[in-house]
């Protein structure tokens, strides 16, 4: 049945010609549309299904700087600042609370990795604290494990995936942006080697710039125009519990589960690093590029041939711009959750917190995680096609960084000084050899 997401009203009139078209109404596309509208730019936000209904409503809701890869830490720090401002600025509830994030562990190797990370993070002005065994216990009152130690970042937070993208889309509309749902973009309008608009299922919209924020679909969209965006989609599972007593006010990661307190008095629950991987033609083509990134996770992934081999974001095949496209055939991707993981996570949670005995899964869902070979997103103009900007591949941590990404996209689209150095996010790093080839934080 998928995760819940609030409904958003469409604009009354259909866009004909704008400065910027944004494809995709997830957290990245809605934040970009909002920041563009705030800059006074005319913008149309086009979503094939419903605003926020794919990854952006299916995530855990963590807004995290802690344990980020360093190239994206400055954008994460900016993003947390923006999360705090956006509620008051838009007058809408995004569910953001700066409630901190605790990691607790019984594994010495894990603690050593965190310690090395916080030393380097200080140079970026970010502070999180190593916790001793007794401090980890104090941060997790009621837990039963004898923690060896932990990590604590008071400035991290949580937001509500069901609220955030809808709130930003509505706020963009309040500022004059066009918002159109059930409006798939079939492809780009290109003339004299430049982007001049998009072909949608409702006709042509002229634009000087087009941002592709299509999440798991971006790679297929780009391939239609001869642009290679290396991408692998992994299916994650999460669940909403029944309402229960508060054992943690923010986020908690342990080896057995990952937990987030929700505004509605329940929890979002999952297990770190778990996922399902469907073998697909495009996945197999891109797999060699992902050897390093996925090395440490291979044992935690399940593999199978699924329906996405033949249709969906990683299937082969092109389409005409005046005929029904794959995007209209899949209004909302709703992969089934991994029931075994759901039960394991609940068992682990209750073992850790006996006070939560009787807690159940109210609903569980799957969601595609679009990953790049270095687990860092692409937020980048495309050299080979002027006017086209890709903002995709957020690799399982795009919700927290979404507001920052939206601002950076807006800066790039109108050639303002970018809020952070965008070099780490260039698309061309995958073809010019500058990509960072190390096992990454996930
Ligand atoms: C189980 C799970 C847990 C996660 N936990 C966290 C977390 O705690 N913290 C965190 O920071 N991140 C987390 N993530 C990752 C995070 O959800 C994503 O990185 C983020 O939501 C990506 O946002 P997006 O806007 O790029 O993509 P999406 O939210 O997928 O949005 C893309 C949109 O584009 C639309 N679209 C695609 N093609 C077209 C087209 N041709 N025309 C029109 N529309 C189109 C799609 O319908 C979709 O709505 C998690 C992800 C999952 C699945």
């Amino acid at each position: 049945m998928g995760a819940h997401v609030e409904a958003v009203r469409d604009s009354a009139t259909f866009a004909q010609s704008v400065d910027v078209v944004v494809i995709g109404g997830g957290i990245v596309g809605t934040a970009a549309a909002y920041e563009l509208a705030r800059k006074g730019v005319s913008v149309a936000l086009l979503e094939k299904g419903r605003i926020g209904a794919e990854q952006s409503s299916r995530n855990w809701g963590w807004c995290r700087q802690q344990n980020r890869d360093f190239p994206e830490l400055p954008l994460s720090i900016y993003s947390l600042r923006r999360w705090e401002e956006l509620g008051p600025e838009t007058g809408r509830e995004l569910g953001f609370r700066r409630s901190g994030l605790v990691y607790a562990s019984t594994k010495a190797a894990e603690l050593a990795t965190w310690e090395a990370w916080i030393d380097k993070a200080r140079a970026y002005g970010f502070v999180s604290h190593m916790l001793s065994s007794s401090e980890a216990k104090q941060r997790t009152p009621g837990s039963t494990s004898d923690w060896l130690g932990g990590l604590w970042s008071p400035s991290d937070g949580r937001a509500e995936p069901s609220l955030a993208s809808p709130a930003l889309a509505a706020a963009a509309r309040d500022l004059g942006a066009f918002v159109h749902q059930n409006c798939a973009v079939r492809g780009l309008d290109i003339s004299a080697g430049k982007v001049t608009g998009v072909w949608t299922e409702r006709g042509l919209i002229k634009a000087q710039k087009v941002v592709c924020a299509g999440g798991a679909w971006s790679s297929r969209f780009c391939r239609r125009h001869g642009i290679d965006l290396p991408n692998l989609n992994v299916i994650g599972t999460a669940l909403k519990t029944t309402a229960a007593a508060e054992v943690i006010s923010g986020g908690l990661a342990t080896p057995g589960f990952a937990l987030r307190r929700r505004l509605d008095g329940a929890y979002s629950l999952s297990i770190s690093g778990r996922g399902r991987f469907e073998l697909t033609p495009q996945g197999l083509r891109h797999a060699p590029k992902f050897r390093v990134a996925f090395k440490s996770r291979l044992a935690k992934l399940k593999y199978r041939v699924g329906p996405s081999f033949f249709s969906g974001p990683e299937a082969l095949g092109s389409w005409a711009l005046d005929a029904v496209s794959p995007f209209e055939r899949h209004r909302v991707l709703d992969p089934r959750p991994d029931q075994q993981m759901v039960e394991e996570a609940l068992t682990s949670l209750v073992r850790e917190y006996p006070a939560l005995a009787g807690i159940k899964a109210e609903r569980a869902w799957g969601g595609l995680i679009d990953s790049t070979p270095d687990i860092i997103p692409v937020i980048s103009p495309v050299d080979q096609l002027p006017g086209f900007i890709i903002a995709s591949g957020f690799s399982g941590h795009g919700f927290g960084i979404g507001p920052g990404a939206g601002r950076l996209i807006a800066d790039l689209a109108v050639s303002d000084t970018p809020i952070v150095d965008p070099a780490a996010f260039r698309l061309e790093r995958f073809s010019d050899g500058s990509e960072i080839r190390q096992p990454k934080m996930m």
Side-chain angles (χ1 to χ4, degrees):
M1 88 171 127
H4 172 72
V5 66
E6 289 296 306
V8 177
R9 195 166 34 83
D10 274 359
S11 300
T13 52
F14 192 69
Q16 305 290 325
S17 172
V18 289
D19 296 327
V20 184
V21 158
V22 177
I23 305 169
I27 192 73
V28 174
T30 55
Y34 173 70
E35 296 290 353
L36 283 160
R38 236 178 117 237
K39 283 178 188 278
V41 171
S42 71
V43 54
L45 174 63
L46 307 177
E47 167 54 53
K48 69 178 169 59
R50 292 177 58 206
I51 293 291
E54 290 199 346
Q55 289 180 86
S56 293
S57 59
R58 290 160 190 265
N59 62 72
W60 303 349
W62 289 23
C63 303
R64 167 176 72 86
Q65 305 151 97
Q66 181 157 286
N67 248 14
R68 286 272 183 185
D69 282 307
F70 292 110
E72 57 180 15
L73 187 54
L75 192 59
S76 309
I77 293 171
Y78 172 74
S79 207
L80 263 286
R81 207 177 90 202
R82 209 68 194 101
W83 271 114
E84 192 140 58
E85 294 164 351
L86 282 168
E89 187 178 298
T90 61
R92 293 177 183 273
E93 176 65 276
L94 286 78
F96 180 73
R97 302 290 183 271
R98 210 183 266 276
S99 43
L101 179 58
V102 182
Y103 289 7
S105 185
T106 48
K107 297 178 182 167
E110 210 160 29
L111 297 179
T113 315
W114 297 342
E115 191 138 32
W117 185 88
I118 60 172
D119 280 350
K120 282 197 189 167
R122 257 181 230 114
Y124 292 81
F126 179 70
V127 180
S128 59
H129 310 276
M130 284 306 288
L131 301 175
S132 66
S133 165
S134 60
E135 288 166 339
K137 203 75 187 164
Q138 277 163 23
R139 289 268 162 223
T140 58
S143 65
T144 48
S145 287
D146 289 324
W147 306 119
L148 198 56
L151 187 63
W152 157 241
S153 64
S155 64
D156 277 333
R158 60 178 167 100
E160 289 300 332
S162 61
L163 301 177
S165 312
L168 289 174
R173 197 197 52 221
D174 291 346
L175 295 178
F178 292 94
V179 175
H180 301 304
Q181 299 167 94
N182 289 310
C183 184
V185 178
R186 293 172 172 169
L188 300 170
D189 187 50
I190 298 172
S191 76
K194 284 188 185 161
V195 165
T196 45
V198 292
W199 286 96
T200 80
E201 61 183 291
R202 292 172 66 181
L204 176 67
I205 302 178
K206 295 303 263 182
Q208 290 151 32
K209 297 277 168 68
V210 174
V211 176
C212 176
W217 295 92
S218 293
S219 184
R220 189 163 190 193
F221 183 90
C222 289
R223 206 163 55 247
R224 166 73 177 71
H225 295 284
I227 297 160
D228 192 30
L229 172 65
N231 174 67
L232 275 192
N233 291 324
V234 175
I235 304 170
T237 289
L239 66 110
K240 177 190 172 187
T241 68
T242 44
E246 181 169 299
V247 295
I248 192 101
S249 62
L252 169 65
T254 75
F257 60 86
L259 190 69
R260 186 213 17 127
R261 186 68 172 161
R262 302 167 55 108
L263 281 188
D264 57 15
Y267 293 96
S268 286
L269 177 66
S270 189
I271 302 180
S272 257
R274 287 288 182 84
R276 221 162 63 231
F277 177 68
E278 291 200 344
L279 300 175
T280 61
Q282 285 309 318
L284 292 172
R285 192 167 77 83
H286 285 143
K289 294 192 170 127
F290 285 80
R291 249 191 354 242
V292 178
F294 281 6
K295 203 171 158 195
S296 60
R297 292 189 67 197
L298 288 180
K300 290 180 170 179
L301 294 176
K302 294 180 182 173
Y303 303 84
R304 63 168 201 160
V305 177
S308 52
F309 195 93
F310 306 104
S311 76
E314 290 177 285
L316 288 176
S318 191
W319 58 92
L321 298 181
D322 60 356
V324 172
S325 70
F327 313 110
E328 292 136 90
R329 287 194 207 103
H330 299 267
R331 292 283 175 201
V332 176
L333 281 174
D334 188 18
R336 63 169 177 76
D338 177 345
Q339 203 50 41
Q340 193 187 338
M341 198 228 78
V342 167
E343 278 148 34
E344 220 179 292
L346 281 168
T347 306
S348 217
L349 176 65
V350 173
R351 195 183 311 124
E352 194 61 62
Y353 286 105
L356 295 180
I359 196 168
K360 295 201 168 44
E362 191 178 294
R363 63 204 293 170
W365 57 84
L368 256 64
I369 296 174
D370 60 329
S371 304
T372 65
D374 57 9
I375 316 297
I376 292 172
V378 171
I379 308 173
S380 171
V382 178
D383 291 352
Q384 74 189 76
L385 188 55
F388 189 47
I389 295 171
I390 298 177
S392 203
F394 282 80
S395 305
H397 45 261
F399 183 66
I401 211 173
R407 170 62 192 269
L408 181 58
I409 294 160
D411 292 342
L412 294 173
V414 300
S415 305
D416 279 351
T417 306
I419 191 74
V420 298
D421 181 356
F425 308 118
R426 288 170 52 248
L427 172 67
E428 281 71 26
R429 70 186 189 269
F430 300 119
S431 49
D432 68 9
S434 61
E435 170 203 352
I436 304 163
R437 292 183 182 275
Q438 290 168 14
K440 314 302 288 184
M441 309 281 182
M442 300 288 282

